[in-house]
Amino acid sequence: MTPAALDTGARTDLVRVLLVEDSVDHQMLTKRALARAGMDVIVSGSAEEALEVLGSSDEDVHLVLIDHGLPRMSGMDLLERVVAMPDGPGAIMVTAAAASEMVVQSMRNGAVDFVSKESGYLDLLPAVVERAYRQYDLRRRTGELQRLALLVHRSTDLEETVGEVVAGISKLLRTQAAVLLLEEPEDPPRWRVAARSGEPAALTDDEAQAMASQEAGGGDIVEEPGRLAVHLPVELDEQTGTLVVARSADRPWLAEERELARTFAAYVSSALRHVRRAALEGGLIEELQQTIRARRDFVASVSHELRTPLTSIGGYAETIVRRADRLDEETKMDLVERIGRNAADLERMIDQLIDVAKLERGTRFTPSLERLPLHDTIATSLRDLQPIIGDAEVFLDAGAQLEVVADRELLHRVIANLLTNAVKYTRGPARIDITTEAQDAYVEVVVRDHGIGIDPADAALVFQPFWRAGYAVAQAVRGAGIGLALVREYVAVMSGEVGVRLPADGTGSAFWFTLPTEPVTEASPPSPEVQITVD
Ligand code: ADP
């Protein structure tokens, strides 16, 4: 067979053969025969030398042609060592003429093929090597695809997985460069280079992006000489992206290569889907665990909260009964007042529990809306809240006499909850500033304290029912983690919004809410967004 007649078919790269042969004559003849068929040949004079070549990472050898009769380490021993190499090259055994036993043993030991040194065998050799190469290449590609499929399936780290996929396409398509662009769902959307391999100069980010931005006429592939871009298959709501590869413009892309590129694009999509699902599941599990923890703490807190005033009531009543004849009138009145205050605490607590039960059932409060002078209404609340305020300093800005449309009782509860927290979460006597400000059709009320503040990482959680910061639980600060969830709902049914601002210096927090100045006709959303801002 002449080299020209050799069918190199879909082969797109240079076959690199390591010839292991001790006879210099054979080395020369074999090398010439293979080079004429367009193959690249490296020569080793012994098995030991061959192992050294194979061990060095800069020689990418596809096939080893092993002469059976090598000095010292035999060809058969070398074959065993080559076959045992992970991702190693394929091996072809060259045996003496009519050595059928040797052939059987070579094939048993894992050789891809064999040739015997019969007359004219050098003419046959390129075809044998070519066939063996195809087999080797197929095995390698299948192995690589299987490995990547498994990786994609187990993927939790997107960057790492897409990095491997892009390196994989580079390797199997033998490109000079490969780039994966993902469209980030921003406003306006933008492309991000999620992974790249190969030489940056062979495909710049801008060139890749230009390919990615082109519409694929009817299909998913955009093709230019030396460039191929495959748009990722996208299911509903999925992130879009494009895989772009580049190599020399001399060779056209084969159908098989386009198909392979599509497979890799599908891998990237799977990885994206898989990682998103894993993150979603992780988030849900974390949320569920948090809810379970919060509820467990809630039961403990509530029992404690109910027991504290009850114990006080029991204690004071017992003192009055036991020592009635020895107590003066003033002390008795003081004890009765204390009983009254604790009973009021209990009542407030139970009202809140009933409200939170309603909230949990999804029942909405029906507000009795009226026009209220904001400043005076808050001032009245503050007078009623004197027992809670104690020796804290509360400043209410005089403000203009702003009017709001609100439910007097719900507004009082909102102020009571925010004020209670401002006092509770300040070590020592608190300083609290309440300010009001007109904003279009709303008025914003801010309750600013200078207490222990809130960790920005926790800020989004404070309005969730039952959630309490670790220190509130650990240091047994009174409360059950329902106050702010109720504040949010009370404000929502009055068509307002709530949020918290965390001052940059970490001193305290500023809880705010808005109330409309005119009746709002549309229904308020069931769970309005809470706005968290860190200054
Ligand atoms: P409670 O105060 O009963 O625990 P809340 O729903 O009122 O429940 O508040 C939830 C959590 O938010 C509190 O446990 C606390 O960790 C945090 N928090 C609320 N208000 C403040 C504040 N003013 N300063 C610091 N942390 C606060």
Side-chain angles (χ1 to χ4, degrees), residues 256-431:
E256 172 205 286
E257 290 174 325
R258 270 184 232 115
E259 225 20 77
L260 202 60
R262 277 198 184 98
T263 306
F264 278 96
Y267 280 179
V268 174
S269 283
S270 293
L272 286 172
R273 202 171 307 137
H274 203 77
V275 169
R276 198 168 69 151
R277 198 179 306 140
L280 215 65
E281 282 169 7
L284 282 177
I285 291 171
E286 173 58 27
E287 215 172 282
L288 204 66
Q289 281 172 338
Q290 218 164 51
T291 310
I292 293 170
R293 257 196 317 269
R295 282 183 186 242
R296 196 186 50 211
D297 294 342
F298 171 70
V299 173
S301 303
V302 165
S303 321
H304 182 75
E305 286 294 287
L306 294 175
R307 186 175 289 273
T308 311
L310 262 184
T311 312
S312 302
I313 292 171
Y316 297 141
E318 199 180 315
T319 311
I320 296 173
V321 171
R322 285 241 219 110
R323 302 166 60 190
D325 46 344
R326 276 172 288 156
L327 291 174
D328 58 39
E329 264 324 289
E330 202 182 329
T331 315
K332 270 191 212 160
M333 270 319 286
D334 179 49
L335 289 173
V336 172
E337 262 176 33
R338 285 176 194 226
I339 290 175
R341 272 206 302 276
N342 278 288
D345 267 2
L346 260 185
E347 194 176 343
R348 208 172 25 247
M349 185 78 205
I350 288 167
D351 280 349
Q352 291 217 352
L353 286 175
I354 292 170
D355 279 357
V356 93
K358 260 194 204 164
L359 189 67
E360 289 274 283
R361 276 203 308 272
T363 317
R364 299 220 84 181
F365 303 94
T366 318
S368 308
L369 298 173
E370 56 181 315
R371 280 184 194 281
L372 296 173
L374 185 60
H375 183 274
D376 291 354
T377 312
I378 297 177
T380 310
S381 282
L382 292 181
R383 268 194 297 280
D384 292 349
L385 294 168
Q386 200 47 51
I388 293 170
I389 295 172
D391 58 357
E393 284 186 294
V394 181
F395 298 91
L396 170 62
D397 71 347
Q401 272 298 358
L402 300 166
E403 249 191 12
V404 290
V405 175
D407 176 314
R408 188 186 294 274
E409 174 54 26
L410 293 186
L411 175 54
H412 173 73
R413 290 193 208 171
V414 169
I415 295 287
N417 270 312
L418 295 182
L419 210 72
T420 308
N421 283 350
V423 173
K424 274 196 307 189
Y425 299 108
T426 302
R427 296 194 184 95
R431 181 209 150 101

Side-chain angles (χ1 to χ4, degrees), residues 421 424-425 449 453-454 462 467-469 471 479-481 483-484 509 511:
N421 283 350
K424 274 196 307 189
Y425 299 108
D449 66 55
I454 295 168
V462 294
W467 186 88
R468 307 194 75 204
Y471 58 80
L484 288 179
S509 23
F511 283 88

Side-chain angles (χ1 to χ4, degrees), residues 25 56 132 145 173 253 294 299 318 338 404:
D25 288 349
S56 88
L145 285 173
L173 278 187
W253 297 98
V299 173
E318 199 180 315
R338 285 176 194 226
V404 290

Side-chain angles (χ1 to χ4, degrees), residues 135-188:
Q135 201 174 325
Y136 155 79
D137 196 39
L138 188 69
R139 193 189 69 200
R140 201 178 61 120
R141 288 182 190 218
T142 313
E144 180 64 6
L145 285 173
Q146 273 172 352
R147 187 183 74 82
L148 287 174
L150 215 65
L151 186 78
V152 163
H153 187 69
R154 292 188 183 146
S155 163
T156 50
D157 180 338
L158 187 66
E159 295 299 310
E160 187 195 325
T161 310
V162 295
E164 290 263 0
V165 173
V166 169
I169 190 167
S170 250
K171 198 155 97 187
L172 294 201
L173 278 187
R174 297 182 185 100
T175 62
Q176 283 168 298
V179 173
L180 170 68
L181 292 160
L182 291 180
E183 201 175 47
E184 294 299 321
E186 286 171 12
D187 191 24

